[in-house]
Amino acid sequence: MRLILIGFGNVGQGLAQILHDKAEDLKNRHGFEAQIVGVATGSRGIIAHHAGLAIPDLLDAISTDNFDHYPYSDGLRRYDDAVQMIRETQADVLVEASPTNLNTAQPALAHIEAALATGKHIVTANKGPIARDLPHLRQLAQAKQLQIRFEATVMAGTPSIATGIELLAGCTIKEARGILNGTTNYILTQMENGLSYQAALQQAQELGYAETDPTADVEGWDAAAKVLILLAGVFGKQAQVSDLAVTGITGITQADIENAKQAGERYKLIASATPHGGSVQPVRLPLSNPLAHVGGATNAITFATDLMGDITLIGAGAGKLETGSALLADLLAIHRLRPV
Amino acid sequence: MRLILIGFGNVGQGLAQILHDKAEDLKNRHGFEAQIVGVATGSRGIIAHHAGLAIPDLLDAISTDNFDHYPYSDGLRRYDDAVQMIRETQADVLVEASPTNLNTAQPALAHIEAALATGKHIVTANKGPIARDLPHLRQLAQAKQLQIRFEATVMAGTPSIATGIELLAGCTIKEARGILNGTTNYILTQMENGLSYQAALQQAQELGYAETDPTADVEGWDAAAKVLILLAGVFGKQAQVSDLAVTGITGITQADIENAKQAGERYKLIASATPHGGSVQPVRLPLSNPLAHVGGATNAITFATDLMGDITLIGAGAGKLETGSALLADLLAIHRLRPV
C-alpha cells in the first residue's frame, strides 16, 4: 500500500514510526506492507519518490530541520505545492494529518479533493474536512468506489468512529455522548482533587495537555468539532458549530464541584450528538453513570442504542502513537477490503 | 443474503425478529436484504424453502408448538437431519445458534463443517466450535475464501470480538481481561449491597440471569469458555478448559466482600487471556480500575495494548435482542465485504 502523508508533525511522525517499527509484524499478521511515497509539510518541504521514501531518513531530516536534509537518490522529486505532489504521485491512500482549520477546512480539503480525483482512498486525522464537508466528500469518494476514514479525529485510536459507524450498524443509535476532550477532563478531575481552576489549568499546560492559549479546549470548541464529526459520521447530519449549544468549563467554580460532590455527583464536560442536533455542556453525572468514573486526560463515549442499550468505550483521546495507531487502524481496514 | 438458521430458541428468534422489524431500515441504510431459507431446531422440526420462509409464520409456528404448524406452500421442504438440510439448501450464510456443548462442540461443529464444505459463510452464537476448533475451522474457511464470525459468543452484541480482532489489529494486545459473566457480576454486586451469597443467587435465578443449576456460571465455566474464545480469536492460541486456572465465586464470603470494601476495593470475577494462557479468578480491584464500576449483569472488557494503553468496552452481555444484534452485526460485516 503506497501512502502519501500530508503533515509530518507529531501525528504523521507517529504513524511513520509505527509503520517502521511494526513492519515485520504487520506483514506477518496481516499481509500488510506500506510504503511512504510522498510527504508534504507546511514549511519544511515536500518530497516524493515512486519507489518509496526511507522512514528513518524522513524522521532524521525533520528532526534536523527540513526535507532539504533528506538524502538524494535517483527519482526523488521535490515540490512547492502539496496538491501538485498529490496529483503527480501514484499512491493508494492519502493520509491527511496537517493542522485542523474548522472554518474553511483548508488546505486539507484541497488535498483530499485532489486525492479523490486521482483515485486515492482517504484516511484523515484532520477534523476540518470531516466536520465541515463529509457528505460532499463521501459523494466524491463513492463515485470512485473509494473510502474516507477518520478514526483519528475522535478519541485518537480508541475506536469510537468504527464502533459507531460499523460495529453498531445494525442498531439505531439514539445518542452518542462522551468525554471527548482530555484537557478539560484533566482540569475537572484536578479541581475535584482540590485545585483551583487556574492551578489545574497551569498543571495541564505544564503536562502538555493544554496549549498556551487554552481557549479551544476550555471553551468547548475542540469537543464541538468532534460533535460535528459524530453528527456527520454517525447520524448523516451536516451541521456547523453555530448550530450547537456550546458551553465550556470556565464558568465552573470550586464551589460547584464541591456541591456536586456532596450530592454524590461529578462534573464532566459532555459532548452529545443525536439525530436532532448536538451540544457541549458541563453536566453533573451521578456515580452510576460510567462516564462519571473517567478521570484525568482519558476520554470516553457512550452509544445509546435501541437493541443493545448503552455501550461505553473508554480510552486514550490523544498522543503521538495513540493517534498514529488510529491512522494505522484505518489503513488496515482499507487493506482488508482490497481485492486479494 | 440467504440465511440458514440452526437453533430457533431465544437467540435465533431474536435475530429473526430484528430482521423482520428492521427490514426496511437495513435496506435503506445498508442496502442489506436478508431472507431465511432454512431453519433447524433440535426437536421442533427442520424446514427450508429456496424462495424464503416468512418470519411471522416461523415465529407463530414455534410459539404454537413446532414447524408442523408452518403453512405449506409449493417448494417447502421438511427434513429430519440438519446437516442434510444445510447441504441441500443454497444459502450465503449459516447462522449457528443451537445450544453450546463445550466438550464435543457437536452437533454445531458438524453443521459448520457442512456449511463451509458447501460454500457458506459462518456466523455463530454457539461458543463450542469457536472455543474448541477455531484454527481448524479458519483453515477450512480460508481455503474457500469464506468468513467465520463469532461476535455473539462474548458479551452478546457489545462488540468485543470485532474490537479485539479488527479494530485494534494495528496494536499488539498484551491482555484481554474482563467481566464476561453477567450472573456472577450480579451476585457480587448484590452481595456488596448486603445480601448473602444464597439470597443474591436466588434473586439472580428469579430474574432469569441464573439457571436452576447455576454451576456453569458460579464456578466460572461460562467465563472460561469465553477465555478460550479470546485465546483463539485474539491470540491465535488453541487451548482447553483444563489448561486454564478457573476459580468461581462460590468461595467468596460476605466477610471477604466487606474486607475489600474497607480497603476501597471490589471483588469482580475477572476472565483473562494473554499470549501465554488464561484464567478466571475473583480479583479485588481498586476503584481506579474501570472494571470496578461495572455493576449488575453488565459485562466489560479491557484490552491492554502497546500503542493505545488500556481500552475498555462496557455493555450488555446477554439477552435475546442483544445477542440477536451481535448476529446481525456479523451479517452486516459479511455484507460489507461482498463484491458489489
Side-chain angles (χ1 to χ4, degrees), chain A residues 179-329:
Chain A
I179 297 169
L180 303 184
N181 179 271
T183 308
T184 47
N185 203 50
Y186 180 83
I187 292 173
L188 291 174
T189 303
Q190 291 304 80
M191 286 176 76
E192 195 151 336
N193 292 338
L195 263 58
S196 70
Y197 172 78
Q198 280 305 331
L201 171 59
Q202 200 184 323
Q203 214 175 66
Q205 286 169 325
E206 282 162 12
L207 288 167
Y209 295 151
E211 314 271 328
T212 316
D213 175 358
T215 312
D217 287 328
V218 298
E219 296 293 2
W221 304 120
D222 171 71
K226 293 164 184 169
V227 169
L228 295 180
I229 292 169
L230 291 171
L231 284 172
V234 176
F235 299 109
K237 272 187 73 95
Q238 198 169 6
Q240 302 179 354
V241 172
S242 57
D243 299 326
L244 309 179
V246 179
T247 307
I249 62 163
T250 54
I252 309 249
T253 63
Q254 269 176 295
D256 294 331
I257 301 265
E258 196 50 42
N259 284 339
K261 217 173 177 176
Q262 303 280 326
E265 299 187 332
R266 281 194 187 131
Y267 267 103
K268 295 292 174 191
L269 186 65
I270 298 297
S272 161
T274 76
H276 312 293
S279 65
V280 177
Q281 314 268 7
V283 177
R284 274 169 65 154
L285 298 180
L287 296 185
S288 57
N289 188 319
L291 299 179
H293 300 285
V294 176
T298 305
N299 283 18
I301 192 164
T302 298
F303 295 100
T305 74
D306 58 344
L307 300 176
M308 285 295 306
D310 284 359
I311 291 179
T312 298
L313 192 56
I314 303 172
K320 180 178 177 174
L321 293 181
E322 289 82 351
T323 310
S325 104
L327 297 171
L328 173 58

Side-chain angles (χ1 to χ4, degrees), chain B residues 255-275:
Chain B
D256 293 331
I257 301 264
E258 196 50 43
N259 284 339
K261 217 173 179 176
Q262 303 281 325
E265 298 187 332
R266 280 192 189 134
Y267 267 102
K268 294 292 175 191
L269 185 66
I270 298 298
S272 161
T274 76

